[in-house]
Amino acid sequence: DQQVKQNSPSLSVQEGRISILNCDYTNSMFDYFLWYKKYPAEGPTFLISISSIKDKNEDGRFTVFLNKSAKHLSLHIVPSQPGDSAVYFCAASAKTGRRALTFGSGTRLQVQP
Amino acid sequence: EAGVAQSPRYKIIEKRQSVAFWCNPISGHATLYWYQQILGQGPKLLIQFQNNGVVDDSQLPKDRFSAERLKGVDSTLKIQPAKLEDSAVYLCASSFGTTGELFFGEGSRLTVL
């Protein structure tokens, strides 16, 4: 049972354009959401997060939007740069229990120069 | 600040052999996690420690996998005997508490032949 889903395995955009990565979740107990970026042969690195009390969080070129009613979040990268090419994982933790992160399957972003 | 250290980076073994992975978390981080990432999938939690106690090992295949965190600092993950489906990257992560951002190591890639 996948509680965090990233339905697009890959995305290709042109440099300077917007990249939009999507994530859906099913567990209504999730209250904290994160995006991680992963380069080949490296561990995932934290990118940006959002609490369920907010619907938007912005950090430079990266913005995360949360739609609780739709159980959907998205990561916007504007403008996209070739160095953003990586696999992006959506992750969530629940307000009860162990609070370890549950990850989606990832979206590979390719930014074309 | 030193990051999460893992070793070995790569390991190739034959099925039914045993293997051990080591992790040293960021200094002062009380919570340590082991995740398994199979190719094309997101990281899946195997076990979570809080100091030297186990918080959650519900997804650890206990017939073949074991983990310990003696003295609440570094940790080892052992697989014995290994199966072909254990081929994956084993990621160690740590966090200051049980909420928020996890910091990942570079991972240990296991190939079982």
Side-chain angles (χ1 to χ4, degrees):
Chain A
D1 176 31
Q2 267 193 299
Q3 298 186 63
V4 179
K5 299 178 183 179
Q6 294 177 257
N7 292 318
S8 297
S10 63
L11 175 68
S12 182
V13 298
Q14 289 294 121
E15 181 178 4
R17 305 295 290 269
I18 184 171
S19 296
I20 301 176
L21 293 88
N22 294 303
C23 177
D24 298 295
Y25 62 95
T26 58
N27 188 340
S28 58
M29 298 302 288
F30 287 148
D31 66 341
Y32 190 64
F33 304 89
L34 307 88
W35 285 92
Y36 278 79
K37 180 166 74 171
K38 186 180 184 304
Y39 293 117
E42 295 184 10
T45 56
F46 171 75
L47 190 58
I48 192 169
S49 64
I50 188 167
S51 166
S52 61
I53 62 173
K54 296 185 176 182
D55 55 17
K56 177 183 174 181
N57 188 27
E58 191 172 353
D59 183 2
R61 296 186 297 115
F62 303 92
T63 303
V64 57
F65 296 91
L66 175 62
N67 183 334
K68 289 186 289 294
S69 61
K71 293 191 175 67
H72 177 83
L73 63 156
S74 60
L75 174 68
H76 292 211
I77 307 173
V78 183
S80 301
Q81 299 174 354
D84 296 330
S85 297
V87 177
Y88 289 78
F89 291 100
C90 172
S93 69
K95 65 182 74 174
T96 61
R98 53 180 167 81
R99 293 195 67 89
L101 297 183
T102 300
F103 284 84
S105 55
T107 296
R108 181 178 300 278
L109 174 66
Q110 183 73 37
V111 181
Q112 307 286 349
Chain B
E1 178 181 82
V4 176
Q6 289 190 246
S7 68
R9 289 294 312 276
Y10 304 93
K11 188 76 175 178
I12 300 174
I13 62 173
E14 296 194 348
K15 59 183 179 183
R16 291 188 289 274
Q17 287 187 324
S18 63
V19 63
F21 301 112
W22 174 82
C23 172
N24 192 32
I26 292 172
S27 178
H29 280 193
T31 310
L32 184 148
Y33 311 79
W34 283 102
Y35 280 83
Q36 179 193 57
Q37 186 180 11
I38 293 172
L39 187 64
Q41 300 180 19
K44 184 186 85 170
L45 180 71
L46 291 176
I47 189 167
Q48 176 185 353
F49 292 95
Q50 178 76 13
N51 296 308
N52 61 348
V54 175
V55 174
D56 184 2
D57 63 358
S58 59
Q59 298 185 84
L60 187 74
K62 298 181 188 62
D63 57 334
R64 299 183 299 106
F65 286 64
S66 64
E68 60 182 12
R69 190 184 184 196
L70 300 176
K71 302 180 182 178
V73 182
D74 57 350
S75 175
T76 56
L77 175 71
K78 296 179 181 178
I79 308 174
Q80 182 180 15
K83 291 185 174 181
L84 296 177
E85 58 261 37
D86 298 332
S87 294
V89 175
Y90 291 86
L91 294 162
C92 180
S94 68
S95 64
F96 182 72
T98 55
T99 62
E101 178 188 349
L102 270 61
F103 295 84
F104 283 87
E106 292 181 314
S108 295
R109 179 178 294 278
L110 173 66
T111 301
V112 182
L113 303 176

